[in-house]
């Protein structure tokens, strides 16, 4: 347990998420990986405390933080029985531990459904995340941080992402959600990066101009859980 | 039912799947995909794997791609056969998954880029970007330092037993040590070295090396 990470939270966070819960997420809600975990907690109806980590001040590289996340990345996660990192594994853990709570189909209810969800979760992690993460940084964060954008990098990654979304366009013409007929972790995992690209960059058309991807984005982004995450992101900027 | 594995036996991602099937003593048949001839980008293959990548697996009605999804499926399906690659409790399974994600997101890309620049491109008769390769090497040094610290406290990444988390690293580290001349990343670190010696001497991995006919 990390005791000396300074906990600063707003009054509203205290009201929503009482101190009594041992479930803690460390990191700023504006972080895409942190918001992935928050979306999952909200889908599963699990109460939690959000512990801020000031990345501008390098808190994520402090010795205390490195004890709970040795790569110096957010999020980190703790509850009464474990300490974990890597957002997608935190999500899987939450789905297994709270199988009967909230959205019970989020990680599938049988091995074949789970395999399909894992397949598309991996596709997100391996094919979608790399180019979309670069674009989120270049288009949504670099300007705010007064870092010069790299047009060559933007072009290269836009092309890569466009190719991935062609695959998604075909898939989402055959299936309502990526892994099947139900919203799952696989779709949820795409929310953070897509949100920034659609709402905080001028490349939203990559998604919205595609019939099936646009339809899918409209559905998954209007879920209550994601709306709450966006609200949390707005509160802390 | 024999599991059909579409891919090249010498490519990293199919090897991840084959290593798992061998550990679990699951019968499989390899359907070679000729990458040099661009077979993985042809329409017939894209029906199996829409991103045009290997491996793709066919097991009766089940069709699956993404090696780490495939190994999660088979490790769970055959949890009672052979070594338990997943961990025993919910918390143990989560830690296995955590290090599998570390391999996927903090390790794999660095190795892939490095190997592409100093092994694959030269094999194709082209010049690799040595500056990029060096940058990857430096970042890998930092990652291996973290592994060294971690493995000084436990024999394997997720605890005291070999799991999917360790297995997932086998193909990439083989590339580093045998093909890319980067063995020092492993041998210069006492605990990483001991771990590599252990996991690469498992009979399932040795069987795969024989199948690959290096």
């Amino acid at each position: 347990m990390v005791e000396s990470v300074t906990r600063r939270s707003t009054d509203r966070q205290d009201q929503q998420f009482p101190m009594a819960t041992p479930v803690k997420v460390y990191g700023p809600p504006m972080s895409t990986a942190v918001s992935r975990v928050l979306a999952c907690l909200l889908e599963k109806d699990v109460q939690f405390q959000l512990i801020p980590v000031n990345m501008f001040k390098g808190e994520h590289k402090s010795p205390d933080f490195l004890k709970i996340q040795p790569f110096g990345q957010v999020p980190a996660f703790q509850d009464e029985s474990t300490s974990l990192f890597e957002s997608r594994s935190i999500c899987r853990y939450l789905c297994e531990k709270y199988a009967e709570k909230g959205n019970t189909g989020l990680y599938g209810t049988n091995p074949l459904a789970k395999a399909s969800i894992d397949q598309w979760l991996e596709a997100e992690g391996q094919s979608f995340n790399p180019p979309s993460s670069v674009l989120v940084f270049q288009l949504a964060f670099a300007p705010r941080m007064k870092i010069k954008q790299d047009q060559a990098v933007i072009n290269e990654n836009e092309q890569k992402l466009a190719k991935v979304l062609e695959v998604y366009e075909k898939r989402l013409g055959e299936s309502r959600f990526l892994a099947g007929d139900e919203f799952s972790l696989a779709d949820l995992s795409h929310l953070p990066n897509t949100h920034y690209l659609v709402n905080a960059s001028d490349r939203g058309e990559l998604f919205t101009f595609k019939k099936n991807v646009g339809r899918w984005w409209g559905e998954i982004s209007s879920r209550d859980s994601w709306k709450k995450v966006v609200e949390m992101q707005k509160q802390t900027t | 039912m024999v599991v059909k594995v579409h891919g090249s036996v010498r490519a990293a991602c199919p090897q991840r799947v084959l290593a798992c099937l061998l550990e679990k003593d699951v019968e499989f048949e390899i359907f070679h995909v000729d990458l040099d001839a661009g077979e993985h980008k042809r329409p017939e293959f894209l029906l199996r794997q829409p991103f045009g990548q290997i491996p793709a697996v066919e097991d009766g009605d089940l069709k699956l791609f993404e090696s780490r999804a495939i190994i999660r499926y088979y490790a769970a399906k055959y949890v009672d056969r052979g070594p338990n690659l997943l961990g025993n409790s919910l918390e143990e399974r989560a830690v296995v998954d955590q290090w599998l994600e570390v391999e996927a997101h903090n390790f794999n890309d660095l190795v892939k880029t490095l190997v592409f620049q100093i092994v694959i491109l030269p094999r194709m008769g082209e010049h690799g970007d040595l500056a990029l390769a060096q940058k990857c090497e430096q970042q890998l040094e930092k990652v291996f330092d973290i592994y060294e610290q971690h493995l000084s406290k436990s024999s394997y990444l997720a605890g005291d037993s070999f799991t999917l988390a360790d297995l997932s690293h086998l193909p990439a580290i083989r590339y580093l040590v045998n093909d890319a001349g980067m063995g020092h990343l492993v041998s210069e670190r006492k605990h990483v070295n001991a771990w590599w010696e252990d996991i690469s001497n498992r009979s399932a991995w040795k069987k795969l090396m024989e199948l690959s006919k290096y």
Side-chain angles (χ1 to χ4, degrees), chain B residues 104-175:
Chain B
H105 297 287
N106 275 336
F107 185 85
N108 186 58
D109 278 349
L110 292 173
V111 177
K112 213 161 69 165
T113 306
L114 176 63
V115 167
F116 189 72
Q117 298 303 327
I118 66 179
V119 179
I120 309 295
L121 282 176
R123 268 190 205 161
M124 288 159 62
E126 293 182 39
H127 291 293
D129 184 338
L130 292 179
L132 177 57
Q134 207 176 38
K135 198 170 154 213
C136 287
E137 189 187 346
Q138 283 163 6
Q139 286 175 290
L140 271 170
E141 295 265 16
K142 291 197 182 122
V143 172
F144 271 115
D145 283 342
I146 296 170
Y147 279 43
E148 178 65 12
Q149 246 239 355
H150 182 69
L151 289 164
S152 70
K153 298 183 205 134
S154 70
S155 315
Y156 299 93
L157 288 172
D160 295 326
S161 309
F162 176 81
T163 67
L164 282 190
D166 310 288
L167 182 150
S168 199
H169 287 80
L170 283 161
I173 300 183
R174 191 212 65 80
Y175 264 109

Side-chain angles (χ1 to χ4, degrees), chain A residues 73 85 89 92 119 122, chain B residues 65 72 97-98 101 106:
Chain A
Q73 296 161 334
F85 52 90
S89 66
R92 285 188 181 97
Q119 173 183 276
E122 285 295 325
Chain B
F65 56 85
R72 281 184 177 98
D97 200 57
Q98 171 189 277
E101 289 290 324
N106 275 336

Side-chain angles (χ1 to χ4, degrees), chain A residues 69-73 81-86 88-90 92-93 96-97 107 111-112 115-116 118-120 122-123 125-127 129-130 163-164 167-168 170, chain B residues 46-47 50-51 53 62-70 72-73 90-91 93-95 97-106 108-109 112 142-143 146-147:
Chain A
Q69 218 294 10
F71 297 88
Q73 296 161 334
S81 42
T82 194
S83 189
L84 286 176
F85 52 90
E86 285 295 336
R88 295 168 192 80
S89 66
I90 296 166
R92 285 188 181 97
Y93 170 72
E96 302 272 33
K97 179 164 184 166
Y107 194 21
L112 291 177
S116 179
D118 272 332
Q119 173 183 276
W120 288 99
E122 285 295 325
Q126 293 294 314
S127 296
N129 187 57
K163 285 210 178 100
V164 170
V167 176
Y168 282 29
K170 184 161 187 284
Chain B
L46 292 175
L47 290 172
F51 299 93
Q53 295 163 338
L62 173 69
K63 288 189 167 71
L64 211 47
F65 56 85
E66 283 297 340
S67 61
R68 295 171 193 82
I70 297 166
R72 281 184 177 98
Y73 174 75
L90 169 64
E91 290 77 17
R93 286 197 298 275
V95 175
D97 200 57
Q98 171 189 277
W99 285 98
L100 189 42
E101 289 290 324
V102 166
E103 183 274 320
H105 297 287
N106 275 336
N108 186 58
D109 278 349
K112 213 161 69 165
K142 291 197 182 122
V143 172
I146 296 170
Y147 279 43

Side-chain angles (χ1 to χ4, degrees), chain B:
Chain B
M1 177 95 14
V2 176
V3 177
K4 295 178 182 164
V5 181
H6 295 263
S8 167
V9 72
R10 288 190 195 172
C13 297
Q15 285 186 340
R16 187 174 287 115
V17 171
L18 296 170
C20 178
L21 295 175
L22 285 161
E23 287 281 350
K24 293 310 227 172
D25 207 14
V26 174
E27 240 191 299
F28 59 83
E29 195 183 339
I30 300 170
F31 288 75
H32 181 69
V33 176
D34 190 346
L35 301 176
D36 290 332
E39 196 182 328
H40 54 312
K41 304 294 179 188
R42 291 199 206 123
E44 315 88 75
F45 189 80
L46 292 175
L47 290 172
R48 289 190 184 286
Q49 215 290 11
F51 299 93
Q53 295 163 338
I54 52 173
V57 145
E58 197 180 329
D59 185 354
D61 287 333
L62 173 69
K63 288 189 167 71
L64 211 47
F65 56 85
E66 283 297 340
S67 61
R68 295 171 193 82
I70 297 166
I71 64 178
R72 281 184 177 98
Y73 174 75
Y74 283 104
K77 181 173 182 181
Y78 296 106
V79 66
D80 295 325
R81 189 196 288 189
N84 181 357
L85 300 176
L86 286 175
N88 290 308
S89 64
L90 169 64
E91 290 77 17
E92 281 176 31
R93 286 197 298 275
V95 175
V96 172
D97 200 57
Q98 171 189 277
W99 285 98
L100 189 42
E101 289 290 324
V102 166
E103 183 274 320
H105 297 287
N106 275 336
F107 185 85
N108 186 58
D109 278 349
L110 292 173
V111 177
K112 213 161 69 165
T113 306
L114 176 63
V115 167
F116 189 72
Q117 298 303 327
I118 66 179
V119 179
I120 309 295
L121 282 176
R123 268 190 205 161
M124 288 159 62
E126 293 182 39
H127 291 293
D129 184 338
L130 292 179
L132 177 57
Q134 207 176 38
K135 198 170 154 213
C136 287
E137 189 187 346
Q138 283 163 6
Q139 286 175 290
L140 271 170
E141 295 265 16
K142 291 197 182 122
V143 172
F144 271 115
D145 283 342
I146 296 170
Y147 279 43
E148 178 65 12
Q149 246 239 355
H150 182 69
L151 289 164
S152 70
K153 298 183 205 134
S154 70
S155 315
Y156 299 93
L157 288 172
D160 295 326
S161 309
F162 176 81
T163 67
L164 282 190
D166 310 288
L167 182 150
S168 199
H169 287 80
L170 283 161
I173 300 183
R174 191 212 65 80
Y175 264 109
L176 284 179
V177 170
N178 290 12
D179 294 348
M182 291 283 148
H184 70 93
L185 290 170
V186 171
S187 60
E188 282 169 4
R189 292 169 173 84
K190 176 172 160 210
H191 298 97
V192 170
N193 193 57
W195 169 72
W196 170 246
E197 288 297 314
D198 182 306
I199 65 175
S200 58
N201 271 297
R202 290 179 70 86
S203 56
W205 184 248
K206 290 207 280 207
K207 225 177 274 179
L208 180 57
M209 292 299 96
E210 270 172 54
L211 279 173
S212 313
K213 298 193 187 84
Y214 282 112

